[in-house]
Amino acid sequence: MTAPADILVIAAHPDDSEFGAAGTVARWIREGRRAAYLICTSGEKGTTDPDLTPERLGDIREEEQRAAARVLGVQDVVFLRAPDQGLEDTAEFRKRIVRMIRAFRPAVVMTSDPYRRYIWHRDHRIIGQVVLDAVFPYARDRLAYPDLVAEGLLPHKVRELYFWGTEDINFRSDITRTFDLKIAALRCHVSQVREFNRGDPGEWLRQRCREMAAGESFGLAEAFHRVEAPP
């Protein structure tokens, strides 16, 4: 059984959450809120190392994600283990997401923006769209999945959605005091950090977060498109 969570972060791959939302999640956890991660794939294709098999890499990346969650204070991490680079907008996958939303019963759901144009990992587009549909109307409506109701997974209304990686920013979250936690969590993804070829992520991410905070009263930000879900 999963415990209810105020915030449910739904990501296509391990490390997506750290890039997109870890500073905000860490701040909310410091404020006393409970957060959970739902990771849809194990990221088993994310390497240039010819000696790593998908099975081994998937195990590594899951453990890296659990370590990152511990750094942030995220209390639950669930892996759906769908195929990396293989997410599809299907009725079956949508139902799996609805199941998790009804199980965790979050006020806030965070995921990647499905509407980012041009270069964007296809899994990111798919999970954003599936999550959006799962939140509204499927998780909300009793008759959408009467079999889930029979299992005790009652309808649930999410209040807010936050989409990272967006080109349509309407909300900037102050992570000035939790930026170091964001970077510490990201560094847990050792298999991916070495793939960046951009030096220390703390340096270039600090610059990016400084740019996201432009015009605000705080110094470092994560940027989202925020949506209030219909009642």
Side-chain angles (χ1 to χ4, degrees):
M1 292 292 291
T2 57
D6 300 306
I7 304 124
L8 179 60
V9 183
I10 306 178
H13 316 102
D15 84 6
D16 290 350
S17 304
E18 277 64 58
F19 274 113
T24 303
V25 170
R27 178 167 61 84
W28 284 341
I29 289 172
R30 281 185 172 182
E31 293 170 0
R33 304 177 75 176
R34 182 183 176 95
Y37 273 4
L38 177 61
I39 312 299
C40 296
T41 81
S42 300
E44 70 276 6
K45 294 179 181 174
T47 186
T48 57
D49 186 342
D51 296 323
L52 270 179
T53 65
E55 295 77 18
R56 177 61 181 144
L57 180 59
D59 290 343
I60 289 170
R61 295 200 66 186
E62 287 190 11
E63 186 49 45
E64 289 172 346
Q65 182 63 90
R66 292 187 186 97
R70 288 192 293 270
V71 167
L72 299 171
V74 174
Q75 294 180 292
D76 294 290
V77 182
V78 176
F79 293 94
L80 295 186
R81 300 191 174 99
D84 188 11
Q85 300 181 9
L87 295 185
E88 297 292 347
D89 186 351
T90 65
E92 178 184 7
F93 185 42
R94 183 172 61 245
K95 186 175 182 179
R96 295 182 77 184
I97 301 298
V98 170
R99 178 184 291 278
M100 291 293 98
I101 291 171
R102 290 189 180 184
F104 281 110
R105 311 189 73 76
V108 170
V109 167
M110 311 180 84
T111 192
S112 52
D113 191 325
Y115 304 122
R116 181 167 173 167
R117 295 172 295 172
Y118 307 118
I119 301 299
W120 194 221
H121 197 301
R122 186 172 187 276
D123 284 350
H124 297 171
R125 289 197 293 268
I126 296 296
I127 191 56
Q129 186 63 63
V130 172
V131 168
L132 185 56
D133 293 339
V135 166
F136 179 82
Y138 291 89
R140 182 199 68 172
D141 288 355
R142 176 176 294 273
L143 295 180
Y145 298 109
D147 56 324
L148 294 185
V149 175
E151 292 178 30
L153 294 171
L154 301 179
H156 176 69
K157 296 179 182 179
V158 172
R159 294 203 300 265
E160 298 174 284
L161 295 105
Y162 290 76
F163 296 95
W164 67 72
T166 185
E167 295 170 326
D168 185 16
I169 297 168
N170 66 1
F171 184 88
R172 291 171 173 83
S173 173
D174 182 2
I175 63 164
T176 308
R177 296 184 179 181
T178 54
F179 176 80
D180 288 345
L181 274 177
K182 175 184 176 77
I183 297 303
L186 183 61
R187 285 177 177 145
C188 292
H189 297 280
V190 176
S191 70
Q192 302 306 293
V193 170
R194 66 171 171 249
E195 297 278 342
F196 297 160
N197 294 320
R198 297 184 62 179
D200 179 41
E203 296 178 6
W204 53 268
L205 271 178
R206 181 177 293 276
Q207 179 58 33
R208 179 186 296 179
C209 292
R210 188 177 293 122
E211 291 169 359
M212 288 181 181
E216 301 289 346
S217 60
F218 42 84
L220 299 171
E222 288 172 338
F224 303 93
H225 187 79
R226 174 184 173 271
V227 176
E228 292 186 11

